[in-house]
Amino acid sequence: MPIKKICCIGAGYVGGPTSTVIALKCPDIQVWVTDLNAERIRMWNSKDLPIFEPGLGDIVNACRGRNLFFSTEVEKHVADADLIFISVNTPTKAYGVGKGKAPDMTSIESAARMIGRVAMGKKIVVEKSTVPVKAAESIKRILQAAENKNAQFEVLSNPEFLAEGSAVQNLFHPDRVLIGADQTTDGCCAARLLAEIYEAWVPASVILTVNTWSSELAKLYANAMLAQRISSVNAASELCEVTGADVSEVAKAVGMDSRIGSKFLEASIGFGGSCFQKDILSLVYLYEHYGLQNGAEYWRQIIVMNEYQRSRFCRIIVSAMFNTVARKQITIFGFAFKQNTGDTRESSSITVGRYLLEEGARVNIYDPEVLEHVIISDLTTDSTLQETDQGLGMNSLEVKLRDRVTVCHNAYKAAAGSHAIVICTEWDLFKALDYEEIYTSMQKPAFIFDGKMLLNHAALKAIGFEVHCIGKRIQN
Ligand SMILES: NC(=O)C1=CN([C@@H]2O[C@H](COP(=O)(O)OP(=O)(O)OC[C@H]3O[C@@H](n4cnc5c(N)ncnc54)[C@H](O)[C@@H]3O)[C@@H](O)[C@H]2O)C=CC1
Ligand SMILES: O=C(O)[C@H]1O[C@H](OP(=O)(O)OP(=O)(O)OC[C@H]2O[C@@H](n3ccc(=O)[nH]c3=O)[C@H](O)[C@@H]2O)[C@H](O)[C@@H](O)[C@@H]1O
């Protein structure tokens, strides 16, 4: 029986776009995207979608109300769907055993328990969230333990590889679609039904069916290896700065080797986003769980390098500005963790912003997509800032921090009167700004710290800026 109705649990950065593209490409399938978060569902049903993703709005408009629906009635749509995607969040655990390392599986477990309770008939349950190996086994056990005589379950793994900011393109043209299934007749049959959905637009040659554990692990390793490339090039950046090499040139030369490839070799202030760090920590936790300390240490170093790169960049800023930024105005261009998204999870901008606030600076932020309240909350909900604030003679932490953070809606207004600009996100629009005008409006010497190797440094120097960047020594 072909799939007629899909219910996706979790209307986030993965559930929303993935379900929307399936609805577009499979007009005969009804796709219900469900979430407990009523505000999120309200926004999916409005013209202001809860996430910014290029191209997504048009597809939602084309499908919503036709065969794409957003609802808070999770149980109702789980009950009669043929196929259920579990696309809930799996953040790093913030409490208890495995705190700061293991993925928090609370949402996965509660979704599985609910499916076990309310499902009717044959169900294919697809683990779309990123999970540790053997999670499908746990889901299966939870479903069986429900003793629901009205339902039969097959559990598949189908990890998602989309990147934010290019989600629609990635979903339209995936490098591969990975399906992990039990190597049984029922498992293979369920995998075939899922593959048939993707075959509506993805060539069969890139749909890969493997065993469930390989699928779960492949997702973690894909992210770990992408992050590893960034940490490798960032490790090279420091050596370039002291030796006079240019990390962009080194990366270009290295990446032209077809065995290495040119992508993901851009030096930066470090990778952000909700997944790289979380998934590497999850991998490290797995190694430790199995007593494999060497492997754990090997992968942990990618995060160590990332944190080092961020703090190194912050120190470069303070050191260049005569070893103090207290009471200086610094403008951060970009708050999202990468361009073309409004997502700030684990964004390097947060680290930089907090560091500058701790050093006593006033911080202006300009980002074309991130909402003001998100920026304020990301920057002011850190208890470690308290001590420094008292040092500056301030009495109310939150009020004082807010006093020193200004969210601007225009790059020129943000930069006016500032001592420095810090580029934290690779938004293309920052390249097109009139830096002569900006220079004129700034305090002198006017500094630019390019954390993303985004701008034309020679042109900025010619205007009069003192320029510092990652991976290249600039004579100022
Ligand atoms: N963000 C990304 O680009 C990618 C994320 N992933 C993985 O996909 C998973 C989801 O990530 P995001 O979409 O970014 O998370 P998200 O936080 O944007 O969305 C998750 C949604 O699930 C909802 N939810 C949680 N428990 C629920 C329940 N029991 N019933 C109904 N709704 C529930 C939450 O309210 C939230 O709206 C994670 O495991 C992540 O690692 C994988 C590839 C890319
Ligand atoms: O599991 C996930 O969540 C996803 O994680 C990443 O996607 P994402 O985090 O959305 O974005 P990336 O394009 O990978 O960028 C991550 C971070 O690395 C930084 N980056 C990227 C590339 C590079 O060369 N240098 C670099 O510093 C970006 O600026 C950004 O902060 C992976 O690319 C996706 O394949 C994966 O599905």
Side-chain angles (χ1 to χ4, degrees), residues 90-101:
T90 51
T92 304
K93 242 183 123 178
Y95 56 88
V97 177
K99 178 180 173 180
K101 267 194 252 177

Side-chain angles (χ1 to χ4, degrees), residues 122-429:
K122 278 193 168 184
K123 301 280 176 238
I124 299 175
V125 177
V126 184
E127 176 188 85
K128 177 68 87 185
S129 299
T130 304
V131 289
V133 67
K134 302 271 181 186
E137 184 71 35
S138 306
I139 293 174
K140 212 178 298 172
R141 283 186 52 207
I142 292 167
L143 294 173
Q144 280 160 0
E147 294 185 349
N148 178 343
K149 296 199 174 49
N150 300 316
Q152 280 170 273
F153 301 103
E154 201 56 47
V155 179
L156 300 176
S157 158
N158 173 221
E160 184 49 60
F161 295 97
L162 68 79
E164 287 177 34
S166 56
V168 172
Q169 279 314 305
N170 298 152
L171 288 164
F172 277 6
H173 309 287
D175 287 349
R176 79 308 216 175
V177 167
L178 185 59
I179 300 176
D182 276 357
Q183 305 301 294
T184 58
T185 310
D186 286 346
C188 293
C189 193
R192 180 90 291 277
L193 286 171
L194 180 59
E196 275 169 17
I197 295 174
Y198 287 109
E199 280 168 11
W201 77 98
V202 178
S205 57
V206 300
I207 301 178
L208 183 65
T209 304
V210 299
N211 85 40
T212 314
W213 323 139
S214 308
S215 172
E216 290 173 333
L217 259 188
K219 171 62 195 178
L220 293 182
Y221 278 114
N223 272 358
M225 292 183 77
L226 287 168
Q228 181 195 45
R229 285 172 72 91
I230 302 170
S231 277
S232 297
V233 80
N234 282 343
S237 70
E238 189 175 22
L239 195 55
C240 288
E241 287 160 33
V242 294
T243 56
D246 177 335
V247 75
S248 304
E249 293 176 356
V250 172
K252 185 167 186 191
V254 170
M256 282 174 79
D257 186 325
S258 61
R259 294 169 302 174
I260 297 172
S262 61
K263 293 181 183 162
F264 266 71
L265 286 180
E266 280 166 37
S268 68
I269 36 173
F271 55 77
S274 61
C275 292
F276 278 172
Q277 175 164 312
K278 154 178 93 70
D279 292 346
I280 293 173
L281 287 170
S282 169
L283 198 57
V284 166
Y285 192 70
L286 263 176
Y287 275 92
E288 288 175 345
H289 173 80
Y290 288 104
L292 307 173
Q293 292 307 332
N294 289 319
E297 201 43 46
Y298 174 77
W299 292 108
R300 197 193 331 269
Q301 282 308 313
I302 290 159
I303 297 175
V304 171
M305 189 64 224
N306 201 50
E307 285 168 354
Y308 174 68
Q309 186 77 346
R310 285 173 170 177
S311 57
R312 193 170 79 75
F313 183 65
C314 293
R315 286 196 299 276
I316 288 173
I317 297 172
V318 176
S319 150
M321 297 181 73
F322 316 108
N323 285 315
T324 178
V325 292
R327 298 185 176 82
K328 290 180 183 166
Q329 181 177 308
I330 303 192
T331 292
I332 296 181
F333 276 178
F335 206 75
F337 80 92
K338 63 183 284 199
Q339 78 161 331
N340 289 329
T341 180
D343 192 354
T344 65
R345 291 178 289 181
E346 302 294 338
S347 175
S348 298
S349 313
I350 301 174
T351 313
V352 173
R354 285 180 176 177
Y355 188 99
L356 295 172
L357 286 169
E358 282 187 56
E359 287 290 331
R362 285 177 289 125
V363 178
N364 285 2
I365 317 276
Y366 170 66
D367 187 287
E369 282 302 329
V370 181
L371 300 174
E372 178 163 354
H373 73 89
V374 174
I375 295 176
I376 297 288
S377 146
D378 283 346
L379 285 179
T380 60
T381 50
D382 181 5
S383 56
T384 61
L385 289 166
Q386 197 147 9
E387 227 171 88
T388 318
D389 256 44
Q390 282 164 354
L392 287 172
M394 298 168 175
N395 42 24
S396 160
L397 170 71
E398 195 172 314
V399 171
K400 286 300 174 188
L401 283 179
R402 275 169 183 254
D403 271 0
R404 290 197 279 130
V405 178
T406 307
V407 178
C408 306
H409 302 284
N410 171 307
Y412 296 97
K413 283 192 183 143
S418 293
H419 296 79
I421 292 171
V422 184
I423 309 281
C424 284
T425 311
E426 59 274 41
W427 284 103
D428 278 339
L429 66 91

Side-chain angles (χ1 to χ4, degrees), residues 107 456 459 463 467:
S107 297
N456 180 338
I463 291 171
V467 184

